[in-house]
Amino acid sequence: KARRFVFIRETVELKSNEPCLFYPDLYDYEVIVTNMEDLPPEEVWRWYNKRCNVENKIDELKQGLPLTKPASTK
């Protein structure tokens, strides 16, 4: 099956105020593999980014709250 690769490169902001000697320009890279052909790359990134945030919230709830065990009442 044909797939489309969308590459995203974002500049990383350095936390300290000191200049970086070896890596003046640091980047974060992200690759999205999709079969969406009708959307421009920016829209593909926005669509997947929203979906990813929702999945992260669900994972946080699962790990933070014992959903499989009933809460004890005192």
Side-chain angles (χ1 to χ4, degrees), residues 4-10 30 32 34 36 38-50:
R4 178 180 176 196
F5 291 81
V6 177
F7 292 87
I8 295 100
R9 182 179 79 171
E10 293 180 293
E30 182 180 349
I32 298 171
T34 184
M36 292 181 176
D38 55 336
L39 294 176
E42 294 85 9
E43 290 301 318
V44 171
W45 176 75
R46 286 188 186 107
W47 190 86
Y48 276 97
N49 202 25
K50 288 178 187 175

Side-chain angles (χ1 to χ4, degrees), residues 7 12-13 17 19 24 26 31 33 36 39 41-42 46 50-52 54-55 57-58 66 74:
F7 292 87
V12 175
E13 297 284 330
N17 293 333
L26 298 175
V31 179
V33 181
M36 292 181 176
L39 294 176
E42 294 85 9
R46 286 188 186 107
K50 288 178 187 175
R51 182 175 175 175
C52 178
V54 169
E55 291 176 4
K57 298 286 184 194
I58 292 170
K74 291 185 180 180

Side-chain angles (χ1 to χ4, degrees), residues 1-4 35:
K1 295 180 180 180
R3 297 288 184 245
R4 178 180 176 196
N35 59 357

Side-chain angles (χ1 to χ4, degrees), residues 12-21 23-24 26:
V12 175
E13 297 284 330
L14 296 176
K15 303 264 185 210
S16 69
N17 293 333
E18 298 177 12
C20 185
L21 180 62
Y23 304 105
L26 298 175

